[in-house]
Amino acid sequence: MNPFQINESKDTSFSPVSTEEVPPRPPSLPKKPPPKICGSNYPLSIVFIVVNEFCERFSYYGMKAVLTLYFLYFLHWNEDTSTSVYHAFNSLCYFTPILGAAIADSWLGKFKTIIYLSLVYVLGHMIKSLGALPILGGHMVHTVLSLVGLSLIALGTGGIKPCVAAFGGDQFEQNHEEERTRYFSAFYLSINAGSLISMFITPMLRGGVQCFGEDCYALAFGVPGLLMVIALVVFAMGSKMYKKTPPEGNVVTQVVKCIWFAISNRFKNRSGNITKRQHWLDWAAEKYPRQLIMDVKALTRVLFLYIPLPMFWALLEQQGSRWTLQATKMNRNLGFIVLQPEQMQVLNPLLVLIFIPLFDFVIYRLVSKCGINFSSLRKMTVGMILACLAFAVVAVVDIKINEMDLPQTSPQEIFLQVLNLADDEVKVRVLEDENNSLLAVSIKSFQKMPHYSKLHLKTKKQNFHFHLKYHNLSFYTEHSVEERNWYSLVIREDGKSISSIMVKDAENITTNGMTAVRFINTLHKEVNVSLGTDISLSIGEDYGVSAYRTVETGEYPVVHCKTEDDDFSLNLGLLDFGASYLFVITNSTSLGLQAWKMESILTNKLSIVWQLPQYVLVTAGEVMFSVTGLEFSYSQAPSSMKSVLLAAWLLTIGVGNFIVFAVAQFSGLVQWAEFVLFSCLLLVVCLIFSIMGYCYVPINPEDIQEPADKQILHIQEDMINLEIKNTKF
């Protein structure tokens, strides 16, 4: 069809003949302008969009802040599995925007896509919160509900991510560019505000509230879910005010089809008789307009620079996983406040708000005055180097933590400590089957042992013989042990002789930096110990041993205890961060009822403040890398390709998370070595990126734009020899 043909309506071509005069049609009423905010040029509808974004970001970041600890302490996964699933979820959140953009641009439009996928989002939060209720099913039910909920959340948050900001921009008239720019500033401020507040509040909901006798993960997930419901309701309330543009086709799809056609067309025409073309994308000229091909050429030049970028995101995204796990092993008491481990993540958005103006108005200007050409690609390279340094600091901090931590058990190894609760010194020898001595110690009455002793086994499970010498009398006993466990041999008085019991200790009992306590009752009556409103222990008579219970850190000067005929109190003193304590309840004729205290696992002495340098370095790197990278990408791509660039940028974040997933799952390295590995990998990638940047020649996107009235030419050389086969796309 001729695009310049004038289409006349049938009413014009065939006018009815009538003697009566046809009354003129009333003029169409002008379209009512959308309501504005206080007489300004800002549409009232953007208020609903900004509030929606604040609530949605609160919902997403609040849920994600406690996710790693939920995997570790509620689902009881190990650190590697928790990290892997966390980053698999993150990766999915950055792959689904492609799907959301395709649905919005090609099918439903932005408004309906946001509404429908927000419903999916809310459903995911509901299922995720149900999966955090201890009373609902067992471990398998919790795991299935969690994974289903996270999948729906990833689809929801990723699907609406490319739609909400663009939908807000659609509300403005073309001549209100300044107002649109300010709207985007308010929009991104709401993102930072939502993430900042949620990262501080949801850890308090988790650790500060007890549900069913433990941390309240259901509440920590439920409140973000409620915020997502509010986000959906607020967005729907503005429905009648929105300007809703119909779907116009997805440019990402056009780019992919153009690239695919060029590749397949070149492959079909690989004969030596056909003249080569200047660029491989020129092979799409038979089907696609020249301007699109030129835009895609400019796009591919930028996308080539994106290849090394995922490695940077692999490091940056570990703040919510590995760094949070590191914080659980540190002393979080700052004197004026006790932080939850995941609250350290608040530093990132807070420092971003500080660093962006600091770099833009101070650092970059000082560098420029020094005559240094600090180009965008050089800024990105420096950002990578800062992230490398951050992970070097993380590795050093982790090594310091390990120096204070318990040693790790290996196959065919156990750790043993001896507790002498008799009234005099006892000499202990640990014998193997062949009667050769593995350990010989002399322990005074109620002596505090400095550490566990490592013993090697011949098999996974083995019997040890113990020779106990007490008051020149010898006693022999036998106990069975299994590899990779920690044990306490408790020696007790039994009339004029002694006996012993073997108690298995838990290696990782101080969860989330809390204090673990255990009691041995030497009385002849059962004792009930109350450690708080929801925490009580019942310890059997005659050297009964309680299970470990985790309690809040702090002073416990008066702990109420009860027997069948007596009430009394014990002074447990200070229960410090991450420590494990054993209390032996005794009845001395001179001192009365008291608790002998021994620290089995030493307190976390390294302050969480030592994480501050790594957050400063990685956030400075993020500002130099991320903000500059997006700015550079937009400056080098045609306006028609900016949405494709954003999609590709999000994909690099998704790939970065997948790298962490793979390393955590398959590397098998100790934690500090894994940090060093990531630092070295990024250093190598940084070197490659700097070489790529050195070879890159910047362009002005306006130079590749053709005038609107210029005829679009197609390549017509050797069309005779060209072999084009019918292919459906």
Side-chain angles (χ1 to χ4, degrees), residues 251-269 277 279-288 292-293 296-297 299-300 303 723-729:
V251 68
V252 177
T253 306
Q254 294 177 24
V255 170
V256 172
K257 286 182 177 180
C258 179
I259 293 174
W260 175 251
F261 182 81
I263 294 173
S264 59
N265 195 21
R266 176 67 185 92
F267 181 75
K268 295 168 190 173
N269 297 278
R277 299 186 179 179
H279 194 280
W280 62 272
L281 276 168
D282 289 334
W283 289 94
E286 285 71 36
K287 185 172 182 179
Y288 293 94
L292 175 63
I293 294 171
V296 175
K297 286 180 183 179
L299 174 71
T300 54
L303 292 184
E723 301 172 9
I724 299 182
K725 299 178 182 177
N726 294 327
T727 308
K728 291 185 179 179
F729 291 93

Side-chain angles (χ1 to χ4, degrees), residues 61 137 147 175 201 210 324 333 634 685:
Y61 282 106
L147 295 179
N175 57 339
I201 290 179
Q210 292 288 305
T324 298
N333 190 348
Y634 272 48
V685 167

Side-chain angles (χ1 to χ4, degrees), residues 237-535:
M237 285 171 60
S239 175
K240 294 183 179 179
M241 303 180 193
Y242 295 139
K243 183 192 296 183
K244 303 168 187 174
T245 56
E248 299 174 349
N250 188 261
V251 68
V252 177
T253 306
Q254 294 177 24
V255 170
V256 172
K257 286 182 177 180
C258 179
I259 293 174
W260 175 251
F261 182 81
I263 294 173
S264 59
N265 195 21
R266 176 67 185 92
F267 181 75
K268 295 168 190 173
N269 297 278
R270 57 188 182 276
S271 171
N273 298 326
I274 300 175
T275 306
K276 292 183 179 179
R277 299 186 179 179
Q278 187 177 5
H279 194 280
W280 62 272
L281 276 168
D282 289 334
W283 289 94
E286 285 71 36
K287 185 172 182 179
Y288 293 94
R290 180 176 177 79
Q291 186 59 55
L292 175 63
I293 294 171
M294 293 174 68
D295 289 351
V296 175
K297 286 180 183 179
L299 174 71
T300 54
R301 294 178 77 251
V302 179
L303 292 184
F304 179 70
L305 291 175
Y306 278 15
I307 294 174
L309 303 193
M311 200 65 233
F312 175 85
W313 299 116
L315 275 69
L316 186 71
E317 291 289 305
Q318 293 187 53
Q319 295 174 70
S321 56
R322 293 300 198 191
W323 289 21
T324 298
L325 293 174
Q326 185 185 74
T328 63
K329 304 168 187 174
M330 305 176 78
N331 193 326
R332 306 190 309 275
N333 190 348
L334 302 182
F336 60 93
I337 189 174
V338 177
L339 292 176
Q340 298 296 333
E342 60 270 55
Q343 283 180 320
M344 284 298 286
Q345 298 176 58
V346 173
L347 284 173
N348 180 254
L350 184 62
L351 289 172
V352 165
L353 295 177
I354 296 171
F355 282 169
I356 287 179
L358 177 65
F359 277 73
D360 283 342
F361 299 114
V362 181
I363 296 177
Y364 292 156
R365 292 187 179 183
L366 288 175
V367 172
S368 179
K369 286 184 177 181
C370 293
I372 300 173
N373 180 20
F374 206 26
S375 65
S376 296
L377 294 178
R378 289 177 181 175
K379 291 176 186 176
M380 294 176 69
T381 303
V382 173
M384 289 183 177
I385 294 172
L386 289 175
C388 290
L389 293 175
F391 264 67
V393 173
V394 178
V396 172
V397 171
D398 213 65
I399 291 171
K400 288 294 182 184
I401 292 173
N402 291 340
E403 290 176 357
M404 305 175 186
D405 206 357
L406 288 174
Q408 298 296 312
T409 54
S410 300
Q412 297 187 359
E413 280 184 358
I414 67 161
F415 284 90
L416 176 72
Q417 70 170 352
V418 181
L419 304 178
N420 179 14
L421 305 185
D423 62 352
D424 202 353
E425 183 178 9
V426 175
K427 294 180 179 179
V428 181
R429 289 179 63 205
V430 182
L431 308 173
E432 273 189 311
D433 295 335
E434 294 82 0
N435 290 331
N436 59 314
S437 179
L438 294 176
L439 177 68
V441 290
S442 181
I443 307 170
K444 295 180 180 178
S445 177
F446 285 86
Q447 178 182 342
K448 295 182 179 180
M449 299 298 293
H451 55 77
Y452 283 81
S453 299
K454 182 192 293 185
L455 300 179
H456 295 276
L457 310 182
K458 291 184 175 180
T459 58
K460 292 183 178 180
K461 186 174 182 181
Q462 184 174 330
N463 290 334
F464 279 138
H465 300 273
F466 295 86
H467 176 208
L468 311 178
K469 196 168 184 179
Y470 170 72
H471 289 170
N472 294 323
L473 298 174
S474 292
F475 303 90
Y476 290 90
T477 185
E478 180 179 334
H479 295 288
S480 178
V481 294
E482 293 183 13
E483 66 175 1
R484 291 181 176 272
N485 282 309
W486 299 70
Y487 293 94
S488 291
L489 180 70
V490 180
I491 301 172
R492 50 169 287 187
E493 218 176 321
D494 193 2
K496 293 184 178 180
S497 65
I498 56 173
S499 61
S500 65
I501 54 176
M502 184 70 82
V503 179
K504 181 186 284 189
D505 298 334
E507 179 184 353
N508 296 316
I509 48 178
T510 55
T511 61
N512 197 15
M514 297 180 69
T515 300
V517 295
R518 175 183 235 177
F519 290 85
I520 296 179
N521 176 24
T522 66
L523 307 181
H524 300 299
K525 302 174 183 178
E526 182 178 306
V527 177
N528 290 308
V529 179
S530 177
L531 292 166
T533 54
D534 298 325
I535 304 176

Side-chain angles (χ1 to χ4, degrees), residues 40-260:
S40 66
N41 290 326
Y42 295 95
L44 183 60
S45 56
I46 65 170
V47 175
F48 298 93
I49 297 172
V50 171
V51 173
N52 163 270
E53 185 65 12
F54 170 83
C55 294
E56 189 275 328
R57 290 291 88 184
F58 186 108
S59 167
Y60 174 72
Y61 282 106
M63 177 277 303
K64 202 174 78 162
V66 299
L67 194 57
T68 301
L69 299 187
Y70 168 78
F71 293 150
L72 189 68
Y73 298 133
F74 189 89
L75 296 183
H76 304 292
W77 294 346
N78 60 41
E79 292 189 0
D80 289 339
T81 303
S82 301
T83 300
S84 297
V85 177
Y86 174 88
H87 287 283
F89 166 72
N90 265 7
S91 185
L92 190 59
C93 289
Y94 286 103
F95 284 129
T96 49
I98 302 294
L99 178 62
I103 293 173
D105 293 340
S106 306
W107 181 24
L108 295 177
K110 296 184 185 72
F111 176 76
K112 288 184 178 179
T113 301
I114 295 170
I115 291 290
Y116 294 156
L117 290 183
S118 292
L119 290 171
V120 174
Y121 203 160
V122 170
L123 180 62
H125 270 298
M126 290 176 57
I127 295 173
K128 186 75 194 69
S129 300
L130 290 174
L133 288 172
I135 59 173
L136 188 64
H139 181 268
M140 182 57 67
V141 173
H142 294 149
T143 301
V144 171
L145 289 176
S146 297
L147 295 179
V148 171
L150 287 175
S151 299
L152 294 176
I153 290 172
L155 177 60
T157 186
I160 68 175
K161 191 187 294 287
C163 301
V164 179
F167 186 70
D170 291 344
Q171 306 307 306
F172 291 85
E173 303 295 334
Q174 291 295 331
N175 57 339
H176 294 155
E177 287 295 332
E178 185 178 346
E179 287 81 0
R180 183 187 283 112
T181 301
R182 290 177 182 172
Y183 153 73
F184 280 115
S185 297
F187 184 84
Y188 289 112
L189 180 63
S190 71
I191 292 175
N192 281 285
S195 62
L196 190 68
I197 296 171
S198 66
M199 285 181 180
F200 190 79
I201 290 179
T202 51
M204 295 172 62
L205 297 176
R206 175 198 60 77
V209 180
Q210 292 288 305
C211 297
F212 309 101
E214 55 188 48
D215 285 354
C216 198
Y217 288 99
L219 181 63
F221 290 137
V223 170
L226 178 62
L227 263 292
M228 190 57 222
V229 173
I230 295 173
L232 175 58
V233 171
V234 169
F235 184 77
M237 285 171 60
S239 175
K240 294 183 179 179
M241 303 180 193
Y242 295 139
K243 183 192 296 183
K244 303 168 187 174
T245 56
E248 299 174 349
N250 188 261
V251 68
V252 177
T253 306
Q254 294 177 24
V255 170
V256 172
K257 286 182 177 180
C258 179
I259 293 174
W260 175 251

